């Protein structure tokens, strides 16, 4: 006799770090889940990111400082910020909103929302990592932001003062000796730095997502490979239409499709200004350099991260949509700079990667119910911070689905805020 599968309480679209964290939180709440992804878990942006739990990164990218830096950065075709000419017209409305979000009042509003989400993220990340038994993957050695002059540090001070007002700890360092104590081997051009002790990292972001997926399965959650074409809510649940004509019914649906979430939300009547900030990196073999903690070269838009079995060099923002081919000259340009900044770096044997950050113009994710139905909840648009905010998002989504009051004010994250 054919076994009839029980309808899951929740179907989650997307097996990235956000979707899988949501699955964990829902299982904790006693609900049954299916996670659906068109590929293997963790092959999207969650695959090759810099692995940082950047809880102190509360300043939205859309900021007055960024608007000052952007014109200079845009002049360098392989620099920290690029707009692919073939995509310029399509990204223009997003950029207009980005510009509006960077103005004083809007920036302040987004920053306070980010502070609240990050506080929750710190708590929920520790809880998730501990309950999933992944504590051995967590590193708590802080991060070092590097500057090439007293002037560059001075320019960053308002941002640090804003963080200090929110209780974020850091320490400015002056002089090459003080910096060398934190990270030997840096080029002499770095004269100032800021050490952020509360910054944490994961030993390898892909291993982390795979471990989350394995634990979801071990706890009875299902992971299915299929492309979801649309979600159709009704009074008692949601029907997911899969490619190939199959359908799947669940009590609730969660859209956690990262940079690909826009058409799913549009199918439910929500026109969200989601786009992608493409990022690039190179992962070098272990031993390429003795990196003590994450190094951030903010003036150049990239970071150097120590992974479990390698060194990852990358970052940058390329506005080029989801379809244009990658331009790996960007990875090469960052690697060449990293070599200049860490002269002992062995740049041989690297593996290049490009990922699609799912980005909203105001740097805040979308966490909230679809306007068409409370049975669908959105969890996407985390931009540069999806790993950092995944566990917090999972908690907020679970509270929405189980009808609990929310741990933080969700108004700034509403899908219809634009
Ligand atoms: C270079 C780089 C460095 C970064 N560094 C950091 C960092 O240090 N710290 C940090 O916090 N963040 C970082 N990020 C950002 C972070 O990687 C992302 O915000 C995060 O991975 C987004 O997770 P996600 O689960 O929303 O999306 P993804 O990981 O992209 O997962 C979405 C999944 O949904 C699936 N999907 C989409 N649509 C459908 C559909 N219709 N049907 C079926 N499946 C579908 C996709 O196949 C994909 O697997 C970085 C990003 C880049 C590119």
């Amino acid at each position: 006799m054919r076994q009839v599968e029980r309808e899951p309480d929740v179907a989650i679209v997307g097996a990235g770090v956000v979707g899988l964290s949501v699955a964990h939180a829902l299982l904790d709440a006693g609900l049954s889940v299916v996670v659906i992804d068109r590929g293997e878990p963790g092959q999207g942006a969650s695959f090759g990111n810099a692995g940082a739990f950047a809880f102190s990164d509360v300043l939205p990218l859309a900021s007055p400082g960024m608007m000052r830096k952007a014109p200079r950065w845009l002049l360098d075709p392989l620099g920290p910020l690029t707009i692919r000419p073939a995509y310029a017209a399509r990204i223009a409305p997003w950029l207009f909103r980005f510009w509006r979000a960077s103005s004083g009042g809007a920036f302040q509003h987004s920053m306070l929302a980010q502070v609240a989400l990050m506080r929750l993220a710190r708590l929920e990340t520790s809880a998730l990592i501990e309950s999933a038994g992944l504590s051995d993957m967590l590193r708590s050695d802080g991060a070092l932001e590097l500057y090439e002059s007293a002037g560059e540090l001075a320019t960053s001070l308002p941002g640090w003062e804003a963080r200090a007002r929110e209780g974020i700890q850091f320490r400015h360092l002056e002089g090459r000796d003080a910096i060398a104590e934190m990270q030997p081997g840096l080029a002499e051009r770095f004269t100032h730095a800021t050490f952020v002790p509360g910054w944490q990292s994961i030993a390898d972001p892909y291993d982390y997502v795979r471990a989350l997926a394995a634990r979801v399965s071990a706890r009875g959650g299902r992971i299915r490979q299929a492309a979801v074409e649309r979600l159709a809510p009704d009074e008692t649940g949601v029907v997911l239409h899969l490619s190939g004509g199959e359908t799947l019914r669940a009590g609730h649906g969660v859209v956690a499709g990262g940079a690909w979430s826009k058409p799913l939300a549009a199918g439910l009547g929500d026109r969200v200004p989601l786009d992608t900030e493409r990022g690039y990196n190179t992962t070098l073999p272990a031993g390429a350099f003795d990196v003590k903690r994450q190094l951030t070269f903010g003036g150049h838009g990239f970071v150097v991260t120590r992974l479990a079995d390698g060194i990852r060099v990358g970052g940058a923002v390329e506005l080029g949509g989801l379809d244009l081919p990658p331009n790996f000259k960007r990875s090469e340009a960052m690697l060449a700079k990293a070599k200049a900044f860490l002269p002992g770096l062995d740049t041989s044997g690297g593996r290049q990667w490009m990922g699609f950050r799912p980005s909203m113009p105001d740097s805040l994710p979308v966490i909230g119910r679809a306007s068409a139905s409370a049975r669908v909840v959105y969890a996407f648009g985390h931009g540069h911070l999806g790993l950092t905010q995944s566990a917090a998002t999972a908690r907020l989504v679970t509270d929405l689905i189980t009808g609990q009051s929310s741990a933080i004010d969700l108004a700034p994250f509403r899908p219809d805020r634009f």
Side-chain angles (χ1 to χ4, degrees), residues 357-376:
R357 297 184 190 95
S359 299
M360 298 292 287
D362 59 359
S363 314
L364 299 179
V366 174
I367 305 169
R369 296 189 175 105
S371 53
S373 168
R375 294 213 164 250
V376 179

Side-chain angles (χ1 to χ4, degrees), residues 15 36-43 223-227:
I36 307 163
D37 199 296
R38 58 176 167 241
E40 294 283 326
Q43 297 287 330
I223 299 185
R224 269 203 63 177
Q225 205 164 331

Side-chain angles (χ1 to χ4, degrees), residues 12-21 36-55 57 118 199-202 205 209 224-231 241-243 255-264 276-281 294 303 305 312-316 334 353-359 379-390:
I12 302 159
V13 186
V17 73
V18 174
L20 290 164
S21 303
I36 307 163
D37 199 296
R38 58 176 167 241
E40 294 283 326
Q43 297 287 330
S46 304
F47 176 82
N49 62 49
F53 289 111
F55 301 121
D57 260 7
M118 288 300 199
W199 185 287
Q200 293 178 303
S201 310
I202 202 79
V209 186
R224 269 203 63 177
Q225 205 164 331
V228 177
E229 289 181 343
R230 69 188 174 89
L231 294 91
H241 292 259
L242 312 183
S243 62
V255 178
W260 298 272
S261 301
K262 191 173 176 165
L264 295 174
T276 180
E277 294 175 73
R278 297 150 55 121
Y280 290 84
N281 57 35
Q294 180 162 313
V303 300
T305 312
R312 185 161 286 165
V313 177
M334 284 183 279
W353 178 75
M354 182 192 71
F356 296 98
R357 297 184 190 95
S359 299
F380 58 80
H382 297 77
H384 295 240
L385 296 166
L387 171 65
T388 308
Q389 298 178 337
S390 48

Side-chain angles (χ1 to χ4, degrees), residues 22-23 35 45 64 68 74 114 124-125 164 178 238-239 249 272 309 323 339 342 373 386 404:
V22 168
V35 186
R68 274 195 301 275
L74 282 167
Q114 206 68 295
E124 294 296 326
T125 304
V238 182
V239 178
R249 199 179 160 80
V272 288
D309 62 353
D323 300 323
K339 173 77 183 165
L342 299 164
S373 168
Q404 304 295 308

